[in-house]
Amino acid sequence: MMKFLALAFCFLFGASGTVAFAGPAEEANAVIDQWSATYSANDRDALVGLYAPDAVLLGTTSPVISEGTEGIRKYFQELPGSGRKNLIVERRTLVLSETSVLGIGFYNFARAAENDTPRPSRFTFMLVKRDGRWMIAHHHSSPLSAARQ
């Protein structure tokens, strides 16, 4: 009888169609992963579409703050067909609320024109959930400086 109950218990919970729901950290990190893949695909329009219309970008190689869709589109103007790539190498995630998440870490940029030599950089993404969709509200990227002496 005990074996039957154990088997019935396993069947009920195993076959109940349990669905795992992603939380804010997983959902926001999926957007960061999508950003990296889209950057590596050199798809400027799709990349810009990951940002909120009022997003702010402090780009790795820009002396100015890029604001809003058009400012961010301008920042990435050289991306299409460039062969540039991005690889996230380390990340931390801070869930601030059900609708805001901070992603912090290191990534490497590479350019085909430079034999894909890694250019280590650091990032911060502030993601917000608006109307059921996660999007980048703020992105800061800067070259990784040499270690302190």
Side-chain angles (χ1 to χ4, degrees):
M1 181 67 169
M2 192 60 125
K3 284 184 180 179
F4 174 76
L5 287 176
L7 185 59
F9 180 79
C10 289
F11 176 78
L12 283 175
F13 284 97
S16 67
T18 359
V19 177
F21 292 98
E26 294 81 10
E27 292 173 354
N29 276 316
V31 175
I32 295 172
D33 291 339
Q34 186 178 4
W35 183 95
S36 181
T38 304
Y39 182 93
S40 295
N42 297 169
D43 187 342
R44 178 179 64 173
D45 292 336
L47 190 70
V48 172
L50 297 174
Y51 290 85
D54 58 346
V56 175
L57 167 64
L58 293 171
T60 314
T61 59
S62 180
V64 300
I65 297 173
S66 300
E67 296 182 72
T69 302
E70 287 313 308
I72 293 169
R73 182 180 311 285
K74 183 178 178 184
Y75 177 77
F76 289 114
Q77 67 188 356
E78 296 176 12
L79 185 62
S82 67
R84 293 180 183 181
K85 298 175 188 162
N86 178 270
L87 176 67
I88 296 170
V89 294
E90 187 175 349
R91 177 183 347 190
R92 302 291 184 275
T93 305
L94 299 174
V95 176
L96 304 175
S97 74
E98 290 296 311
T99 58
S100 61
V101 172
L102 199 58
I104 306 129
F106 299 109
Y107 48 23
N108 288 334
F109 288 101
R111 297 179 180 192
E114 298 172 353
N115 297 320
D116 290 326
T117 303
R119 300 172 69 186
S121 298
R122 53 188 159 206
F123 68 82
T124 304
F125 284 100
M126 175 67 183
L127 293 108
V128 295
K129 189 173 188 178
R130 295 182 184 162
D131 298 323
R133 179 178 166 243
W134 284 96
M135 59 189 83
I136 302 165
H138 170 70
H139 177 193
H140 172 257
S141 182
S142 57
L144 188 60
S145 57
R148 287 186 170 181
Q149 300 295 320

